[in-house]
Amino acid sequence: MSVADHLEVPRHHGLFKHHGIDLGDGTVAHYQEGHEILRSSIQDFSAGQNIKVIIHDNASSNDLTLRRAISRIGEQRYNLLFNNCEHFANWCKTGKHHSNQTEDFLKKSSLGAMAIGTIIPAAFWTTLNLLLKQDLTDKSTQQKAQKITKILKRLRLILINKLESTLQELEGLINTNQQSNTSPYQNQKTQALIVQGQNLGDQLNTIESVEVEITRLLKKAKSKK
């Protein structure tokens, strides 16, 4: 690792990946999930996990990468779909604001095709997709957005409970296997729980991100009045 490197580490037994920029002085600039861009020690950033360096074609100079990273420390506008830790790290390195994980996820599964589609009709997601492409300028559209926000909050609670239950079961299984001196990650049930946790995490983060975006659009619409 060296100054201005794009760093990646796994989170929650590999359920998620976290990104940051090496500032060259033993610290990393990164978007703490759901909070703000921090300057943390490499030890705190890695949390005991192996660090991977992401290589970029046509990367910006180290000096420009560092200036970009430092300029955004303290920012509090995290959003999984629109402004996550990978968006931040890619922008610092290339000047382009994108997330491969998010883009791949959206290409492979539309909101209506997600497992949560079994809880809420596909028509709901069609309406939601349309709302996210509008400015919510008329009263009728704003009312629809407010109703959808209430539904999303209820759905978020359901997913939180499911994810917490899955993580508790996963932690218990890993601890049991470690006590028996067997590799916990070779267990089929462990692998199934990890996949289940990843799916729930993707769904929960998507719900939270959409809530944030609808709230932003509603505030924008009100400010125009």
Side-chain angles (χ1 to χ4, degrees), residues 41-52:
S41 68
I42 289 180
Q43 291 76 16
D44 286 344
F45 171 76
S46 66
Q49 301 296 316
N50 292 328
I51 298 176
K52 176 182 177 181

Side-chain angles (χ1 to χ4, degrees), residues 15 43 46 54 56 61 63 79 94 99 110 124 129-130 133 137 141 146-147 157 169 171 183 186 190 196:
L15 291 178
Q43 291 76 16
S46 66
I54 303 298
H56 291 269
S61 67
D63 181 61
N79 187 294
T94 68
S99 169
S110 67
F124 169 86
N129 275 314
L130 290 174
K133 296 176 182 178
T137 52
T141 306
Q146 290 168 348
K147 288 181 180 180
L157 291 176
E169 187 176 357
E171 289 285 353
S183 174
Q186 293 180 354
T190 299
Q196 181 177 324

